[in-house]
Amino acid sequence: DVQLQASGGGLVQAGGSLRLSCAASGFPFDDYAIGWFRQAPGKEREGLSCISSSDGSTYYADSVKGRFTISWDNAKNTVYLQMNSLKPEDTAVYYCAASRHYYDDFAGVAGLYDYWGQGTQVTVSS
């Protein structure tokens, strides 16, 4: 079974950094994409970033471009989201998800993902 385990959330002051991890396992296919999403109370789920396992292509939402960096550790089959210059508006539950395909400019669309991990809370204090 496909499993995605997100971790690394916590409480940080504005301007600080956190690194989220998404450990992936059980994929019945070789190529897939891992994306990061977040959902704040009362708001829709927002696609933040995505990376393709086949060629390392990446996608970033405008809201995080230049502050967040996605990367893949093939040896550990883990995807990281390095979050710098955090703002109070980054407070949300963060989720990782997997898709059979990398959808390029549409990689932030939640409905295109087949598998979801549990969320990890990120709280940024002002």
Side-chain angles (χ1 to χ4, degrees):
D1 293 346
V2 173
Q3 292 191 349
L4 299 168
Q5 183 73 32
S7 61
L11 173 64
V12 64
Q13 289 188 332
S17 299
L18 280 176
R19 189 178 77 161
L20 304 183
S21 300
C22 178
S25 63
F27 286 93
F29 33 83
D30 293 332
D31 295 328
Y32 51 97
I34 298 289
W36 282 99
F37 294 77
R38 69 185 178 191
Q39 190 164 18
K43 295 188 177 181
E44 292 187 356
R45 190 163 294 192
E46 177 188 11
L48 304 175
S49 185
C50 181
I51 188 167
S52 167
S53 71
S54 61
D55 62 4
S57 295
T58 57
Y59 159 87
Y60 292 97
D62 288 342
S63 59
V64 303
K65 201 172 293 184
R67 298 191 299 126
F68 292 9
T69 303
I70 195 169
S71 61
W72 201 313
D73 184 331
N74 288 324
K76 297 181 179 180
N77 217 27
T78 298
V79 172
Y80 300 101
L81 186 68
Q82 177 66 43
M83 307 187 297
N84 298 329
S85 302
L86 284 163
K87 306 173 183 180
E89 51 263 44
D90 292 318
T91 295
V93 178
Y94 284 66
Y95 301 87
C96 61
S99 171
R100 283 291 310 272
H101 306 285
Y102 175 73
Y103 289 101
D104 201 9
D105 289 344
F106 297 96
V109 178
L112 296 176
Y113 289 77
D114 307 297
Y115 307 96
W116 290 83
Q118 91 294 351
T120 184
Q121 176 71 44
V122 172
T123 303
V124 184
S125 63
S126 58

